[in-house]
Amino acid sequence: MQPINSQYKSTNQILNLMLQTRTFKTKGKHWLCVGAMLLVSGMGLNSCDKYDLDKNLPDGWGQSIYSYMAEHDFKYMTRIVDDLGYADVLGKTGSKTLFAANDEAFERFFKNGNAWNVKSYDQLTLAQKKMILFGAMVDNSFQAQSLSNAESSTSDGDPKEGVSMRRATSLDVFDTISVLKKEQMPDNPYWARYRDRGSIVCWTDRTNSPMLQFIQKQMDYTGITDDDYRFLFNKTVQRETGDVSINGSKVVEQNIRCSNGFIHRVEDVVTSLPNIAEVIRSKSFENEGNPYGSTKIFNRLMERFCAPYKFTESNTGLVNQYNYLNGTSIDSIYEKRFFAERTHNDQITSDAKILETPDGGPIDAWLKFDPEWNSYFFSKSYSPTESMMRDMGVIMVPSDDAMTRYWNNEGAMLRDNYGTWDNVPNDVIVKLINNNMFPSFLASVPSKFKNILNDANDPMGLVPEAIDSVWLGCNGAVYLTNRVYTPTSYVSVSYPALINQTMKIINWAIEECKYDVYLNSLNSKYSFFIPTNGAMLEYVDPVSYGKTKTQMFRFFYDPSKTEKSERVWASIWECEIMPDGSVVRGDSIGLASTGGWGQVKNRLKDILETHIVIGEIDNEHHYYRTKDGMALYVNNVEAGENGMTVSGSYQMNEGQPIPVTKIYDQSKKGNGKAYILDGQPIMGTRKTVASILNEVPEFSEFAKLLSAAGLTETFHRIGDTGYSCGGENIKTFNKYHYTIYVPTNESLEALEDEGKLPKPEDVAYDPSILETMDDAAKANFLAQVTADSTKIAEFVKYHIQDNALFINSKFSDAEYETSVINTATKQFRRLSVKYDGGLNMTVKGEGNVNACKVLTSNPSLYNLQAREYICEGGGVNPQNATQISTASSAVIHYIDGPLLIKK
């Protein structure tokens, strides 16, 4: 064995090595024994035998933490240690780091006021003494600057420097249990029975309460500036490079080395920080009567979302342990928890989402994260422990004065709907709370305010001047604001769906299908047509268009479901569409699938796509394109509510216009208008381009050409995957919107007679004629058929244009691409379209001398709408299809001549 002292010349050098390396786990006297072994060169394993390390230490090891404090100006700290029976631990072996305040600091603590209103040492309770000692203590020994390091949660095992801003303390979770009295309980129905009881034993949270540390390496690594630091401490401190602070108290003397760890003397008494939920609650009482600083309104709203969850001896040993420690005989302990998307799981080892109330009932809304969760963590890129150390959260809390001003001014729509804050439903008020909850503290300091986004992923516009005070907790920061940063959902076109019980299905669809960010964006204007729950009882299913019998969905909203994702369901029925457009329900088929992107969400996504118009609706035009490309026909806009109507392609071809029963104008402060539909949802027609061409006599010649060109299909393949079609679809369509120009029969026949266009019958031959031909003749015949078919296909595709252009809509004169590729340029050939805004629309091909006119004398021959669905779930068999895969839309216009390609 190589003698240690051949490399290290003194006991102090070895001690320095041990105390400056990574953390040692506390294991009684054993790690000290290892250190002592290293001190002895060339000796065997029995070289520790002369040391009883609980009584004797090797020369040069210095004082213990306890003895150092006892001999210096730390009488209050040593008194606390004695009162808690912890002198043996701090006086002998172990490995601790203690942030100790001297006697002068304690005198200021008692004299100048503190959060506990304690005036002298004798007034400190046992619990408060534990918070002072164990809340300022860390297991294992750390020099000040190494506190910002974190043990790696990755396989390399190397410590990560500068990443830690929080660290678990020695405070036991049982030290934070308290008897919660009636007046301390939140005022919501979940707590009512316990208020009647008078008190309960309750944790505010049963995870460790970490200490909050600001250290140079950590601030450099995370980009927190000195100005940020001053802001966080309300501009009452001036930080210098290298400073360390713990829970807001500056370390004034670093790295006092002891035999069993380090003491870091702090300027002020360090106490365990409460979590931010308790900070907000305490400020609601602390500043009561001072509306400029009180958080009473916001706290009352936020505490709607918390409940006491019960532990009994039947499912945990916590009750027995509490009774043993406190000499009590209670039968249950409770934990205050918030309904949140992120909270700790039952084993407090990771994160989870609370799915039901303490009574097993449904939860109607969730906060972004649990503000009561002491060890809250944001990132899932690391272990829970490392994630906790790296970051925490932020909640912006408007003062009572700010909330009142908002209610009486910008919040007029909320006020008019609900009358008082208490009447605003949970699923509405949660939008406001969540808009003010930031999962990452590191991303929410003033130097990064410009990057903070609202619920629409738009810049929030947060400025330091909006924040009057900052309060720090063990799991985050609270910013007291002098204004209300409202969610954009309050001024969005989707707002009516949020606040009305009669529109719960569409509101659920908006959130579950992730359309809320899109509809909340204030960078665009929208016209949003919202079908009520009643209207959603009559949705003709486009997947059934290719089936033997047409089907319909009836959607329902069930708030009793624990899982929010299951609250909307639908029954499926056979149905018959009558000549007047009414839908007659037939036999029941069953229930639509709800799991994942099942049939329910699949159809609701289609409904959302066809009910959102980008832009505003005016009195001058009738046709407007929806988000997915289908056009709506809007009439009598000037008549407003109960006069205005809207039609989708289904209503245009098979049904009746849908009355608009109410209009919500959000255009001044928000992003458009919402139009409420009570009759039925807007739907897509079952008519395809081919079916319309075949049923209109004036389109008969073009219908023959389309068939001869081989451009239609009744099933679709992508690779090896087969899909069914809702009818006879155009092959070139690809989830977009198109214009089909149909020349007159006479003009097409003239082209054919002149030999400029092959006749459809020339390629639709009887295969039996091939039997009369020799091989050479057969080859020549088939080659000619192929050439003719290709010419016809090129001709037809030149009449299929990208972008659906309607007479009586708003669009620009431009060149538009067709479905034909110029083989020389490898670009799509174009058509030139001009429109005067009335009934005059012309289109010109590359080879046309004069532009062709859209014939508008007969309204049934232009603006004809088609919609083509590709379905999945049953392969190429439409009878087995279950889902909408894609949909394309088209408008058909009758023109006075063919569009020609320049040769």
Side-chain angles (χ1 to χ4, degrees):
M1 178 176 177
Q2 176 68 25
I4 286 291
N5 62 359
S6 65
Q7 183 177 358
Y8 300 105
K9 302 301 182 182
S10 71
T11 299
N12 283 340
Q13 282 181 288
I14 300 171
L15 182 62
N16 285 334
L17 173 68
M18 294 178 63
L19 293 178
Q20 291 174 23
T21 53
R22 285 207 330 157
T23 300
F24 291 91
K25 296 292 183 183
T26 304
K27 296 184 182 294
K29 63 183 179 182
H30 301 297
W31 75 269
L32 284 175
C33 183
V34 173
M37 288 172 61
L38 294 176
L39 291 172
V40 183
S41 62
M43 298 183 67
L45 291 176
N46 63 352
S47 41
C48 278
D49 290 350
K50 68 178 182 178
Y51 298 107
D52 179 352
L53 292 174
D54 284 334
K55 297 180 180 180
N56 303 302
L57 292 172
D59 293 339
W61 276 72
Q63 296 172 291
S64 68
I65 291 174
Y66 181 82
S67 61
Y68 181 90
M69 291 195 301
E71 296 178 15
H72 293 79
D73 190 21
F74 296 94
K75 300 299 186 294
Y76 283 111
M77 284 298 292
T78 54
R79 189 173 173 186
I80 290 174
V81 172
D82 290 336
D83 288 351
L84 297 178
Y86 213 65
D88 278 351
V89 176
L90 294 183
K92 296 181 181 178
T93 61
S95 177
K96 302 288 183 183
T97 301
L98 182 63
F99 299 90
N102 65 10
D103 294 340
E104 181 185 353
F106 268 94
E107 293 295 345
R108 289 198 309 274
F109 178 76
F110 296 133
K111 181 179 179 181
N112 297 338
N114 51 73
W116 301 329
N117 199 30
V118 170
K119 305 295 185 183
S120 68
Y121 182 89
D122 293 336
Q123 292 181 0
L124 288 172
T125 65
L126 182 64
Q128 290 166 349
K129 292 175 184 177
K130 289 180 178 179
M131 290 184 181
I132 291 174
L133 178 62
F134 300 125
M137 183 188 297
V138 174
D139 292 338
N140 304 317
S141 58
F142 293 92
Q143 292 194 63
Q145 294 301 322
S146 67
L147 285 162
S148 64
N149 298 345
E151 291 186 5
S152 175
S153 59
T154 58
S155 58
D156 58 27
D158 294 330
K160 300 182 179 179
E161 296 186 357
V163 303
S164 175
M165 68 175 301
R166 290 195 294 164
R167 187 170 291 278
T169 65
S170 301
L171 194 65
D172 190 278
V173 293
F174 278 95
D175 296 334
T176 62
I177 291 182
S178 62
V179 177
L180 204 61
K181 296 180 180 178
K182 174 182 178 179
E183 60 272 15
Q184 297 171 307
M185 297 180 193
D187 185 12
N188 73 42
Y190 305 112
W191 294 85
R193 75 186 73 167
Y194 304 107
R195 285 198 302 274
D196 294 341
R197 184 189 300 180
S199 66
I200 56 173
V201 176
C202 186
W203 268 296
T204 52
D205 183 70
R206 60 187 176 98
T207 61
N208 184 269
S209 301
M211 63 171 52
L212 178 59
Q213 52 191 35
F214 289 97
I215 301 166
Q216 193 64 52
K217 284 184 179 179
Q218 175 259 334
M219 293 178 65
D220 292 342
Y221 180 85
T222 57
I224 297 177
T225 67
D226 287 344
D227 286 341
D228 291 334
Y229 183 87
R230 290 184 65 247
F231 169 85
L232 294 171
F233 290 95
N234 298 301
K235 300 180 180 180
T236 60
V237 296
Q238 190 66 43
R239 188 182 181 280
E240 297 179 2
T241 301
D243 281 355
V244 175
S245 70
I246 304 296
N247 288 357
S249 180
K250 181 179 178 181
V251 175
V252 292
E253 186 176 356
Q254 301 179 12
N255 305 329
I256 301 172
R257 190 183 65 203
C258 299
S259 61
N260 55 348
F262 283 103
I263 296 174
H264 305 288
R265 183 168 71 84
V266 287
E267 187 171 34
D268 298 299
V269 175
V270 172
T271 59
S272 179
L273 293 176
N275 57 57
I276 50 179
E278 296 306 309
V279 170
I280 296 168
R281 180 172 177 78
S282 69
K283 296 300 179 182
S284 71
F285 294 107
E286 182 179 314
N287 296 314
E288 195 166 6
N290 174 17
Y292 296 96
S294 177
T295 61
K296 191 169 186 177
I297 296 174
F298 190 91
N299 179 71
R300 182 178 176 86
L301 296 175
M302 189 176 75
E303 285 196 331
R304 287 188 194 178
F305 299 90
C306 72
Y309 284 81
K310 183 178 182 180
F311 297 93
T312 64
E313 198 49 48
S314 62
N315 57 22
T316 177
L318 297 174
V319 177
N320 265 354
Q321 192 174 353
Y322 177 85
N323 285 333
Y324 174 78
L325 292 172
N326 293 277
T328 55
S329 58
I330 62 171
D331 61 1
S332 55
I333 299 176
Y334 297 83
E335 181 182 17
K336 180 183 177 184
R337 301 185 70 180
F338 278 78
F339 309 145
E341 297 285 349
R342 295 285 303 280
T343 184
H344 68 72
N345 62 4
D346 289 341
Q347 295 76 35
I348 64 172
T349 55
S350 186
D351 67 309
K353 177 181 178 178
I354 293 181
L355 297 177
E356 50 186 34
T357 68
D359 296 327
I363 295 172
D364 51 6
W366 289 262
L367 303 183
K368 280 185 182 176
F369 60 87
D370 184 350
E372 203 80 45
W373 183 12
N374 296 333
S375 297
Y376 161 76
F377 63 88
F378 164 59
S379 174
K380 291 190 176 183
S381 300
Y382 314 98
S383 70
T385 298
E386 184 179 345
S387 295
M388 178 278 291
M389 298 174 75
R390 284 175 170 264
D391 207 349
M392 56 184 188
V394 171
I395 300 182
M396 292 201 307
V397 179
S399 68
D400 287 353
D401 179 63
M403 293 287 280
T404 301
R405 279 188 284 107
Y406 168 78
W407 186 257
N408 291 328
N409 294 280
E410 302 97 315
M413 188 172 287
L414 280 177
R415 187 187 68 240
D416 293 344
N417 273 287
Y418 302 113
T420 68
W421 280 113
D422 286 343
N423 290 337
V424 181
N426 288 350
D427 59 346
V428 177
I429 206 62
V430 76
K431 303 288 186 181
L432 172 64
I433 298 172
N434 281 339
N435 193 56
N436 287 271
M437 296 184 80
F438 306 145
S440 171
F441 167 83
L442 296 178
S444 308
V445 292
S447 60
K448 300 170 186 176
F449 276 0
K450 63 181 181 295
N451 300 323
I452 295 178
L453 305 179
N454 60 21
D455 59 337
N457 284 341
D458 295 325
M460 178 173 276
L462 181 61
V463 292
E465 295 75 25
I467 298 169
D468 289 340
S469 294
V470 179
W471 303 310
L472 295 173
C474 69
N475 60 346
V478 177
Y479 295 168
L480 180 71
T481 62
N482 52 40
R483 65 196 71 173
V484 178
Y485 285 89
T486 56
T488 55
S489 55
Y490 284 7
V491 293
S492 160
V493 289
S494 64
Y495 178 71
L498 174 65
I499 64 172
N500 283 288
Q501 295 297 313
T502 60
M503 304 174 202
K504 283 298 181 185
I505 294 173
I506 287 298
N507 186 61
W508 182 93
I510 291 168
E511 295 182 353
E512 290 296 305
C513 298
K514 309 301 182 186
Y515 278 68
D516 45 352
V517 172
Y518 180 85
L519 287 171
N520 289 344
S521 174
L522 300 183
N523 294 322
S524 301
K525 291 291 185 181
Y526 300 107
S527 299
F528 187 27
F529 293 89
I530 304 177
T532 61
N533 297 345
M536 295 295 288
L537 294 173
E538 192 174 284
Y539 170 76
V540 179
D541 182 20
V543 175
S544 71
Y545 287 166
K547 298 184 178 184
T548 305
K549 293 187 176 181
T550 307
Q551 298 170 358
M552 64 181 290
F553 277 40
R554 291 170 60 82
F555 289 94
F556 299 89
Y557 183 80
D558 183 359
S560 68
K561 293 284 188 181
T562 300
E563 283 281 359
K564 183 180 178 183
S565 61
E566 298 176 356
R567 289 180 185 168
V568 170
W569 61 280
S571 57
I572 307 175
W573 302 76
E574 291 181 350
C575 67
E576 184 178 358
I577 302 172
M578 306 307 290
D580 64 355
S582 61
V583 180
V584 178
R585 180 159 40 111
D587 294 334
S588 172
I589 295 174
L591 298 180
S593 60
T594 57
W597 276 95
Q599 290 171 294
V600 167
K601 286 175 70 173
N602 177 261
R603 302 309 191 275
L604 288 172
K605 181 177 183 294
D606 177 65
I607 290 172
L608 288 172
E609 290 275 314
T610 56
H611 284 67
I612 299 169
V613 172
I614 302 170
E616 296 178 299
I617 290 173
D618 56 45
N619 296 328
E620 299 177 3
H621 304 94
H622 286 294
Y623 288 92
Y624 299 87
R625 185 179 300 143
T626 64
K627 185 175 182 295
D628 88 328
M630 187 177 82
L632 304 183
Y633 180 80
V634 181
N635 200 21
N636 296 327
V637 175
E638 67 282 356
E641 297 176 354
N642 297 309
M644 175 182 172
T645 62
V646 62
S647 300
S649 57
Y650 169 88
Q651 281 81 22
M652 290 289 291
N653 291 343
E654 290 108 325
Q656 298 293 326
I658 310 168
V660 172
T661 55
K662 189 170 180 60
I663 301 173
Y664 289 83
D665 189 351
Q666 298 278 77
S667 55
K668 290 183 179 179
K669 296 181 180 179
N671 61 357
K673 293 182 181 180
Y675 302 88
I676 310 306
L677 310 178
D678 286 331
Q680 63 180 185
I682 295 165
M683 294 180 285
T685 182
R686 71 186 308 150
K687 292 187 177 183
T688 66
V689 171
S691 69
I692 293 175
L693 295 180
N694 287 326
E695 70 184 28
V696 178
E698 288 85 348
F699 298 163
S700 60
E701 285 302 315
F702 194 78
K704 294 176 186 176
L705 290 170
L706 177 65
S707 178
L711 293 177
T712 62
E713 62 185 6
T714 55
F715 63 88
H716 184 76
R717 287 195 180 275
I718 300 177
D720 295 331
T721 304
Y723 301 83
S724 62
C725 298
E728 188 179 0
N729 289 1
I730 302 288
K731 289 181 180 179
T732 59
F733 282 5
N734 186 23
K735 198 181 179 182
Y736 197 60
H737 49 93
Y738 305 88
T739 301
I740 312 295
Y741 298 104
V742 180
T744 63
N745 291 336
E746 294 77 13
S747 67
L748 293 175
E749 289 170 345
L751 272 184
E752 294 166 3
D753 292 342
E754 295 169 7
K756 296 179 180 179
L757 180 67
K759 295 182 179 182
E761 53 267 28
D762 292 342
V763 298
Y765 63 90
D766 183 350
S768 64
I769 67 173
L770 297 176
E771 299 174 1
T772 64
M773 300 179 185
D774 59 27
D775 290 343
K778 185 187 300 182
N780 289 334
F781 176 80
L782 292 176
Q784 185 61 48
V785 168
T786 300
D788 290 345
S789 180
T790 301
K791 287 180 182 179
I792 293 174
E794 293 287 294
F795 179 83
V796 171
K797 287 195 291 184
Y798 198 54
H799 290 72
I800 300 175
Q801 167 201 294
D802 288 354
N803 293 283
L805 306 180
F806 285 82
I807 301 290
N808 213 314
S809 68
K810 187 176 182 180
F811 66 89
S812 301
D813 294 350
E815 289 188 345
Y816 295 92
E817 290 183 346
T818 68
S819 298
V820 178
I821 292 180
N822 184 330
T823 56
T825 65
K826 307 300 181 184
Q827 302 293 318
F828 286 101
R829 293 188 181 274
R830 295 172 177 264
L831 298 173
S832 177
V833 181
K834 292 185 177 182
Y835 176 53
D836 69 356
L839 292 176
N840 299 310
M841 178 175 169
T842 61
V843 56
K844 184 177 181 181
E846 296 173 3
N848 286 81
V849 175
N850 299 311
C852 298
K853 296 180 181 179
V854 175
L855 302 174
T856 57
S857 60
N858 184 349
S860 63
L861 297 178
Y862 69 93
N863 282 352
L864 304 185
Q865 291 199 59
R867 189 159 170 87
E868 303 192 351
Y869 292 91
I870 294 177
C871 306
E872 59 184 302
V876 299
N877 185 352
Q879 304 304 320
N880 299 327
T882 58
Q883 301 280 71
I884 300 171
S885 178
T886 64
S888 299
S889 296
V891 59
I892 300 172
H893 295 308
Y894 193 41
I895 58 176
D896 62 1
L899 301 171
L900 303 177
I901 299 174
K902 184 177 181 179
K903 297 298 183 182

